[in-house]
Amino acid sequence: QPTSKIDLTGTGLKELQTNMDSITISFGQIAIQKEILESQEKILKTELIKLKNQEAEIAKSLSDKYGKGTLDIESGEFTPVE
């Protein structure tokens, strides 16, 4: 007894598969963007460490030269602590 095929084209299965494919692609794109952002974050953290080290070196240099005090970065004025 031969089996007959049942037509399921009107059941929304094709649309469901298309939507699943779209979501899968979106997840892939998010994963790629996440990798890019994590890479950029590592670069920025490295730059921040360099800047903090540079800041500490400048502060030490000024302290060695002028003694302890406060520096107004905007005006460039150094006020020694008495």
Side-chain angles (χ1 to χ4, degrees):
Q1 172 182 34
T3 57
S4 60
K5 293 183 179 181
I6 300 170
D7 184 8
L8 298 176
T9 55
T11 61
L13 290 175
K14 187 71 171 173
E15 182 181 335
L16 177 66
Q17 183 61 49
T18 301
N19 290 340
M20 288 294 280
D21 290 346
S22 177
I23 288 173
T24 301
I25 290 168
S26 292
F27 271 117
Q29 291 170 336
I30 288 170
I32 291 169
Q33 291 171 350
K34 184 178 175 184
E35 288 295 321
I36 291 169
L37 288 172
E38 287 173 353
S39 176
Q40 290 174 338
E41 182 181 27
K42 286 179 185 177
I43 291 168
L44 289 174
K45 283 181 178 180
T46 300
E47 287 299 314
L48 180 60
I49 289 169
K50 287 179 185 177
L51 287 173
K52 290 206 172 271
N53 288 338
Q54 184 180 7
E55 178 183 46
E57 288 173 14
I58 291 171
K60 183 180 180 333
S61 173
L62 291 173
S63 179
D64 290 347
K65 187 171 184 176
Y66 300 108
K68 292 187 178 189
T70 59
L71 174 64
D72 182 338
I73 295 176
E74 292 295 318
S75 68
E77 292 181 1
F78 178 80
T79 306
V81 174
E82 301 194 17

